[in-house]
Every structure is written in structure tokens, then in C-alpha cells.
Amino acid sequence: MPRIAVIPGDGVGPEIIDAVIPVLETLSDLMNLPLDLRFFEAGDETKRKRGVALPEETLNGVMNSDATLMVAIGESAREVILPLRQKLDLYVNLRPAKSYPVPRAIPGFDLTIVRENTEDLYVMSGWRGLDTAVDLRIITRRASERICRFGYRYARERGKSRVYVVHKANVLGGCMLFREVCSRVAEEEGFDYREMYVDSAAMRIAMDRPFDVIITTNMFGDILSDLAAAFIGGLGMYPSANIGESRAIFEPVHGTAPEIAGKNIANPMATILSAAMMMGWLGHEGGSKLIEEAVRRACELGYTTPDVGGSMRTKEVGLKISEIMREIGGSINF
Ligand SMILES: NC(=O)c1ccc[n+]([C@@H]2O[C@H](COP(=O)([O-])OP(=O)(O)OC[C@H]3O[C@@H](n4cnc5c(N)ncnc54)[C@H](O)[C@@H]3O)[C@@H](O)[C@H]2O)c1
Ligand SMILES: CC(C)[C@H](C(=O)O)[C@@H](O)C(=O)O
């Protein structure tokens, strides 16, 4: 029985989790696969109550689970998500931006951002004076090599050939190392090495998209992924996975959306699609496909929240997706 840690977090997190649980329960029922869901707290509210944003039992809960599903953390995100990514060595941040039939999504948009997840400007080291602040940017050969290898192998397994390494090696020393490592790995993995500067890549994402997969460093991946969200209907549709050798945390790309928190209009699809990624990672590909197909049909039928043109509430969307899963579940080979 897979043991899954669930961290609702702050803002829209709890209401989104309320919509995701029926989807997981329905899947468990259809697959005849009990899921052991354990809830843990983290984030701003936890910090306010207990003085720490990531309590020991939450960290242990994540460590002792087969996978974790998390929604979003607010202002204390750097005290929760960054330590989790780094302590658990979740070196891949996999962000597939794939369009579903919602207004403002570009049909056929399918771009995966493979973002290094443990170093770069995110090492949280530096110093702050009165008028000057310095952030250390670390890029290592080891981290560059493993993210790059993951990216090319991911592309090969999915038949994606237009893989670009995105960097700023015309200016930054770390990017010169990243480029050097990635060009060698491309050759070893049997790919033509293609590269692009990050500023140019941003324009090309918006313009003509010559790539299927972008492999990039941590901060560039953070920014480019929010840009990619704009072409699939927004952050409410964008799932992601933080993956290491034997552990993984699945979360939407979005944050706590404070201006809509408590209104029950947040889009739960990004988290539901993250749960689909989690089921695939746990080895239940059929379950993952069933969730994705149900989300696709829910979008076609307009069972959506206002951010993507619908008028449903967060929980209703989860219930509709569960209903569709029951309707089509019989045709899926688990
Ligand atoms: N991984 C994380 O935990 C994570 C990621 C990003 C931001 N944050 C935190 O979230 C807070 C808010 O940050 P932000 O405003 O830059 O980003 P955000 O992702 O919360 O919101 C950006 C925009 O997208 C909209 N949006 C986001 N998720 C949505 C959803 N599910 N349904 C409908 N609309 C949605 C918001 O309403 C807002 O207009 C900050 O405290 C930040 O630190 C956390
Ligand atoms: C909240 C923040 C620390 C985080 C990041 O920058 O990685 C977020 O923007 C993301 O993309 O997951």
C-alpha cells in the first residue's frame, strides 16, 4: 500500500486538497489499490503557531513516505520547499507544460522544462550589508551532469528530439561550466547538442517554440516555467515533480494565490495533474493516464474554475473529475 504524505500548506492549499482527495479515493477504489494518506503541516500558519515552518514530524513524514503531494507554501516557502528539495536531494524539477482544452491555452502546446533543483542562486548563501547584498550562485559539474542526463533520457523515452540547453554562458561562469558539461552529455546520450541563451529562449517560448524540452539551471527554470504557464491557460493548469534517486515530492507550479484564498475558486487541476505524475512515478501508469484523461474531458465539458473560463467551485471540479474517472475507468487497463 503506497504511503503518501500530504501537505496542504497555506492560502488555497487546504481548499485544493479538499478537491484532490476525492480524486485519489476514486482512483484507489477503481484500481483496488489502498492508498495510505497521511497529513502533515508546514508553512506560514505553522510558523506562526509553532515557530518553525517545517516541523520535524513533517520532515520525517516526508522521509518515511513513498511519495509526497504538497500544494503551496506562502512567505515561508524558502524555509520549507527549498530545504525539502535540498535535504532530500530532489535534483530534478520536472515541469511539463501541456495544454488542455481551456480558453487561452494554445492547442498542442507541449514544452517540458527540466530544471536543476538543488543549487544555483538557491543555495541561500551570501551576505547583506546596509547598502549591498550578495547572493552566491553555485553551479557544479556533478549537478549539471545529472540534470542534463535526466533531461536527455526523459526526452528519449518520450520520443522528443528538440532538446535545448538554456543558459547565459556569454556572461556567467557557472553557465560556461553548465554548457561544457551538457554538450558532452548530449553527445554521450546520442543527441545533437542544441543551446540557447535564456533571454532568447524566453522570446522563443512566446514566439515559435523550436523546443520540446528545455534543460536549464535552477533560477532560469523557475522563471521560464511561469512563462510557459501563460500558454496553457495559467498556473492553475501546471503540475510539477521534484524527483531524486528514491524520493519525490509532487506539487503544482503555482503558489498560495492569496488574493483568491478562502473563496473556493482556486483551480485544483494543477495539483490533480501533479497527483497523476505521482501515480506514474509510483509505477501506476494506468492510474496516471486515467486522471489526465478525466481532466481533459472535464475541460472539454467546461467543468472548470473561473481562471480557465468556468464557473465551478474548487471542490466541484474535483468531484466532476472523480465522476468522469468512474465513467471511463472500466476501459483502462491498470
Ligand atoms: N511552490 C510553492 O510553494 C510556491 C510557488 C510559488 C509561490 N509561492 C508563494 O505563494 C505566494 C504568492 O505568490 P505569487 O502571487 O507570486 O504566485 P501564485 O502562484 O500564488 O499566484 C500567481 C497568480 O496565479 C494565480 N493562481 C495561482 N494558482 C492558482 C490556482 N490554483 N487557481 C487559480 N489561479 C491561480 C493567482 O491568483 C495569481 O494571480 C508567495 O508567498 C510565494 O512565496 C509558493
Ligand atoms: C516559492 C519559491 C521558493 C519556488 C521557487 O522559486 O522554486 C517557486 O517559485 C517554484 O517555482 O516552485
Side-chain angles (χ1 to χ4, degrees):
M1 179 184 341
R3 183 184 285 187
I4 297 167
V6 178
I7 306 177
D10 300 310
V12 294
E15 56 210 88
I16 285 182
I17 281 298
D18 250 13
V20 177
I21 296 303
V23 172
L24 286 175
E25 286 172 350
T26 303
L27 188 68
S28 160
D29 208 21
L30 289 170
M31 292 178 67
N32 203 9
L33 173 78
L35 297 174
D36 180 4
L37 304 180
R38 301 189 176 192
F39 290 77
F40 296 96
E41 62 169 328
D44 297 351
E45 186 50 23
T46 308
K47 187 173 175 178
R48 198 188 54 76
K49 277 191 324 218
R50 304 182 46 180
V52 281
L54 178 62
E56 202 63 27
E57 75 263 18
T58 301
L59 179 61
N60 289 336
V62 170
M63 302 278 251
N64 295 326
S65 298
D66 297 303
T68 296
L69 184 65
M70 180 159 93
V71 188
I73 308 294
E75 290 307 298
S76 55
R78 82 195 286 274
E79 296 159 56
V80 178
I81 184 67
L82 301 187
L84 284 174
R85 288 172 183 167
Q86 290 168 14
K87 275 191 211 288
L88 276 64
D89 202 22
L90 306 178
Y91 64 94
V92 179
N93 195 325
L94 186 62
R95 300 188 151 189
K98 200 170 159 201
S99 68
Y100 282 79
V102 291
R104 291 192 296 157
I106 295 195
F109 188 98
D110 187 355
L111 167 64
T112 299
I113 296 181
V114 178
R115 166 187 177 190
E116 201 289 320
N117 212 23
T118 57
E119 56 180 34
D120 192 354
L121 283 165
Y122 284 84
V123 293
M124 292 186 285
S125 178
W127 56 269
R128 166 78 209 264
L130 189 59
D131 299 318
T132 306
V134 173
D135 288 301
L136 186 64
R137 180 177 199 244
I138 296 184
I139 302 288
T140 64
R141 185 176 294 279
R142 173 172 175 267
S144 303
E145 160 129 21
R146 62 184 182 170
I147 191 64
C148 194
R149 213 170 277 290
F150 179 96
Y152 283 115
R153 290 184 179 173
Y154 174 89
R156 184 165 47 241
E157 278 162 23
R158 283 157 187 80
K160 294 176 185 290
S161 57
R162 302 181 310 158
V163 183
Y164 277 74
V165 171
V166 167
H167 56 65
K168 186 80 181 170
N170 49 348
V171 177
L172 302 172
C175 284
M176 292 175 201
L177 175 59
F178 192 70
R179 160 200 256 173
E180 178 196 311
V181 172
C182 292
S183 60
R184 176 178 50 78
V185 172
E187 199 180 310
E188 288 169 7
E189 294 294 334
F191 278 79
D192 288 338
Y193 177 66
R194 304 182 194 190
E195 63 182 349
M196 201 177 285
Y197 293 126
V198 63
D199 39 355
S200 176
M203 183 200 62
R204 300 290 294 272
I205 287 178
M207 205 163 79
D208 60 346
R209 295 173 282 282
F211 17 63
D212 304 314
V213 175
I214 284 178
I215 301 171
T216 192
T217 49
N218 205 342
M219 179 62 90
F220 295 157
D222 177 46
I223 298 166
L224 292 181
S225 50
D226 272 41
L227 175 59
F231 300 93
I232 58 170
L235 284 166
M237 299 301 299
Y238 200 172
S240 79
N242 301 273
I243 304 172
E245 287 306 334
S246 59
R247 291 203 172 85
I249 298 179
F250 299 83
E251 55 169 351
V253 171
H254 67 73
T256 55
E259 74 279 15
I260 57 167
K263 296 187 177 157
N264 270 302
I265 53 166
N267 189 345
M269 287 181 171
T271 309
I272 291 172
L273 291 169
S274 303
M277 289 178 82
M278 177 177 78
M279 294 312 293
W281 185 81
L282 286 167
H284 303 288
E285 211 41 64
S288 171
K289 291 267 171 314
L290 175 61
I291 297 176
E292 286 175 0
E293 178 57 17
V295 169
R296 194 183 63 74
R297 292 195 193 193
C299 291
E300 273 170 1
L301 293 165
Y303 297 156
T304 53
T305 45
D307 56 306
V308 282
S311 56
M312 283 199 169
R313 311 238 130 208
T314 308
K315 175 100 185 235
E316 263 180 288
V317 171
L319 293 174
K320 283 291 181 195
I321 291 173
S322 305
E323 257 174 56
I324 299 172
M325 285 165 68
R326 288 197 188 280
E327 281 162 24
I328 60 178
S331 62
I332 301 268
N333 187 4
F334 293 113

